[in-house]
Amino acid sequence: MINTTELARATAEAARVLMTLSAEQKEQILIEMASQLRKQHPVILKANQRDVQQAKVSGLSDAMLDRLTLTPERINQMALGIEKIAGLPEVVGTETLFGHRPNGLEIKKKRIPLGVVCMIYEARPNVTSDAAALCFKSGNGVILRGGKECLQSSLAIAAVLQSVLTEHQLPEALISVIPDADRKIVAELLTLKQYIDVVIPRGGEGLVNYVSENSQIPVIQHYKGVCHLYVDKDADLQKAINILLNGKTQRPGVCNALEGLLVHQAIAEEFLAELEPQLLNLGVKIHACVKAQRYLSDANLLSEAEFGQEYLALELAIRVVEDVHQAIDHIDKFGSNHTEVICTENQRTAEIFQHMVDASVVMLNASSRFSDGGELGLGAEIGIATTKLHAYGPMGIESLTTEKFLVTGDGQVRS
Amino acid sequence: MINTTELARATAEAARVLMTLSAEQKEQILIEMASQLRKQHPVILKANQRDVQQAKVSGLSDAMLDRLTLTPERINQMALGIEKIAGLPEVVGTETLFGHRPNGLEIKKKRIPLGVVCMIYEARPNVTSDAAALCFKSGNGVILRGGKECLQSSLAIAAVLQSVLTEHQLPEALISVIPDADRKIVAELLTLKQYIDVVIPRGGEGLVNYVSENSQIPVIQHYKGVCHLYVDKDADLQKAINILLNGKTQRPGVCNALEGLLVHQAIAEEFLAELEPQLLNLGVKIHACVKAQRYLSDANLLSEAEFGQEYLALELAIRVVEDVHQAIDHIDKFGSNHTEVICTENQRTAEIFQHMVDASVVMLNASSRFSDGGELGLGAEIGIATTKLHAYGPMGIESLTTEKFLVTGDGQVRS
């Protein structure tokens, strides 16, 4: 087994070197990385084929095999992703004045990298290049621990990126891939708080729970997306239908898809009558509370305890509510702090919902599917946080930084 | 044993009620809390006497007994602290425009409370009122778990604060004190991630390590303060002596006191000759590297492995370094990311130090003792973070909040 302590120590030491690079140097290096990924795609494809063959032998699901498999076009997409990250505005190094004290001290804050980021993810080789580029751009060293199914691909991708680092006399340890699939290594990594500043797990709920329950290092957690649409009595029903169908059916397997529909009792009959044939037509299985079931021809009755499921499939839970307050209470009980949507033309009702709903993204008259770093204008996304510390919701590159205080005096001492 | 799950659930539910209060209402309630603390000080003193008597029986150290013991003046200080917090600017509810998207979506960010804060601290009754007031002001429910030595005092203080909540028809659970000294309760609290949003341990390294190693909830960690002063060859030596003596001797038992002195070799002989008699005069025990020892008459030799100690006493570790880079390397190896100081009149050297040193507060020509929320202008301090996630360094009231995204559309769906 590899020496994880030594590996993490080397990455932490390498990360300090990054602080000496200018924004222009980092951008140039990222552009070269993208270019090398394209040039060396045959090597990456060859490594990926070994992963794919092994995965077929192990009986990986078709969906996971699809995510694992690289093509020249997918490698080009990875390169385009790196080029996009290269062009983002510099986030580290900016200084802002915080204030002057009566004793003459000047207080500033300066944005700095976190240090070392440890990404723990599943069998998705594209996360290897995305995470490496985001961390490099934000001045962090990165330790990449992908699923064993994509290990050969990840090592090949990292080798290409590292070759560019070497050309620029930078340490390879800035981008470290754990070259060993042993599960014990994850447990070891989660104890190395002297070298690793944050752990970001990306994957299923089991992985996220394991990491957050066992880590001695701060973790940015993304649990799950149980997102609701509340259709108010003052909603434009056509907008509401569009938003519901988009949220539920455009890509049902992702975390910002809708899983629940809450309908105001005053418009429930009209709205559900209009909605149901369209849902059935798109193959959506309908679950409903007793009241909603009255207005539906083909709905499975859902008990109180059965609400709040993350279907990640063409299934929808519908409940009729008395008003916006009952909708908020339902979301408070069954939501997952991810994304919640209200459809209404009533400004006051919208404000109550946006103020009281506890979710990282609260939307008015827009599809939950926009809850994504790119769509919200963050440039690139390292993940989505459903807990509130450090970042809440889609995380851009700034989430990989923090601020330190710079204090300037002229000999002041405390009395 | 009490039902911690039920208690935390009640606090989480109560915290939602806080979102309906205006800034003015919160300020008024805090002012009444301060007034009631003063009025009801005999009740608090009586409870405190029970704690003090028990502590004497248990053989608590004099220093801890001192921190535990309340007087009318100390209760007045607690009330003044609450009044100061009451008058701080409102931090929650502010909305800032984040941008408009090409599809017409408007993206805003809104500052919101974290939800429920759990403070775990030692035998300091004043933390009970400070933390309760800071959490109330920032819109958070709070669960207070103080050391068993201050339990009666904490319960009495909380009862006074809760009586004001009750008068305003607010739930007492907004300020919950764990009424049971059983240590198992801490372990239970650290699992309640569905109700508690952040855990803040305040106390010794053992407590902080226990909490961060066992918590399933995000923890804001404050380890220790191993702070250094680097005296550069271009320093004003008189300023440097003042800053060293202030940092080392003004209050040696606190985390922002100096523990290490690094001196540039070019001025080491002159500086140490001037400094030593003053240190000895103040009763400071001197530890030194071989080079520094040459310039000192009464210094204990320190081996490489013995640097980096948090003395919290009148002891100082001195090392002679070749230049600013060697000083930075020493700090990188032995510092604790708390506060680091450079004395120099050379702007370029100051910039290198401030840029490269990884600490939450980096100071130029000022005493490390200013590294404190009040002194830096944060208004009040909930703690000092030495890890980088969410907050780094002295934490003001804004550290008890986060931001959510508010998205406003007009029926947009994703294609």
Side-chain angles (χ1 to χ4, degrees), chain A residues 6 38 45 154 156 195 198 220 244 281 284 328 334 380:
Chain A
E6 192 43 45
R38 287 199 188 90
L45 287 178
S154 290
Y195 299 122
V198 61
I220 295 181
L244 185 280
N281 198 33
V284 177
I328 293 166
F334 297 106

Side-chain angles (χ1 to χ4, degrees), chain A residues 170-213:
Chain A
L170 291 170
E172 288 187 356
L174 277 176
I175 299 173
S176 293
V177 174
I178 302 283
D180 186 329
D182 194 323
R183 281 186 64 104
K184 276 186 214 146
I185 287 175
V186 173
E188 280 182 20
L189 285 170
L190 299 179
T191 66
L192 299 174
K193 59 185 171 188
Q194 70 273 45
Y195 299 122
I196 300 174
D197 295 279
V198 61
V199 178
I200 305 180
R202 273 178 70 166
E205 215 181 337
L207 171 70
V208 177
N209 280 330
Y210 174 80
V211 169
S212 66
E213 282 168 20

Side-chain angles (χ1 to χ4, degrees), chain B residues 285-322:
Chain B
K285 186 171 175 191
I286 303 175
H287 309 276
C289 70
V290 180
K291 280 188 195 166
Q293 213 184 22
R294 266 184 241 149
Y295 307 127
L296 295 161
S297 62
D298 188 12
N300 164 41
L301 183 66
L302 214 55
S303 71
E304 177 74 11
E306 291 169 312
F307 279 98
Q309 292 180 57
E310 188 186 31
Y311 298 114
L312 297 174
L314 288 174
E315 299 185 51
L316 179 69
I318 303 181
R319 173 172 234 168
V320 172
V321 294
E322 282 171 27

Side-chain angles (χ1 to χ4, degrees), chain A residues 261-311:
Chain A
L261 168 66
L262 304 166
V263 192
H264 192 291
Q265 57 185 0
I267 49 100
E269 184 167 7
E270 181 189 353
F271 183 71
L272 294 178
E274 176 88 12
L275 178 69
E276 187 179 23
Q278 301 189 55
L279 281 177
L280 296 177
N281 198 33
L282 288 158
V284 177
K285 186 171 175 191
I286 304 174
H287 309 277
C289 71
V290 180
K291 279 187 194 167
Q293 212 185 21
R294 265 184 243 150
Y295 307 128
L296 294 161
S297 62
D298 188 12
N300 164 41
L301 183 67
L302 214 57
S303 72
E304 177 76 11
E306 291 169 313
F307 279 98
Q309 293 180 57
E310 188 186 31
Y311 298 114

Side-chain angles (χ1 to χ4, degrees), chain B residues 197-238:
Chain B
D197 294 278
V198 61
V199 178
I200 305 180
R202 273 179 71 166
E205 216 181 334
L207 172 69
V208 177
N209 280 330
Y210 175 80
V211 169
S212 64
E213 282 168 19
N214 290 281
S215 182
Q216 293 178 27
I217 303 163
V219 177
I220 294 180
Q221 300 160 14
H222 170 182
Y223 286 108
K224 57 183 176 179
V226 181
C227 308
H228 299 84
L229 167 67
Y230 165 60
V231 181
D232 185 49
K233 69 177 169 56
D234 299 321
D236 176 322
L237 297 191
Q238 193 50 54

Side-chain angles (χ1 to χ4, degrees), chain A residues 246-263:
Chain A
N246 188 251
K248 182 66 261 178
T249 67
Q250 194 234 4
R251 205 171 161 200
V254 293
C255 60
N256 62 13
L258 287 177
E259 306 289 10
L261 168 66
L262 304 166
V263 192

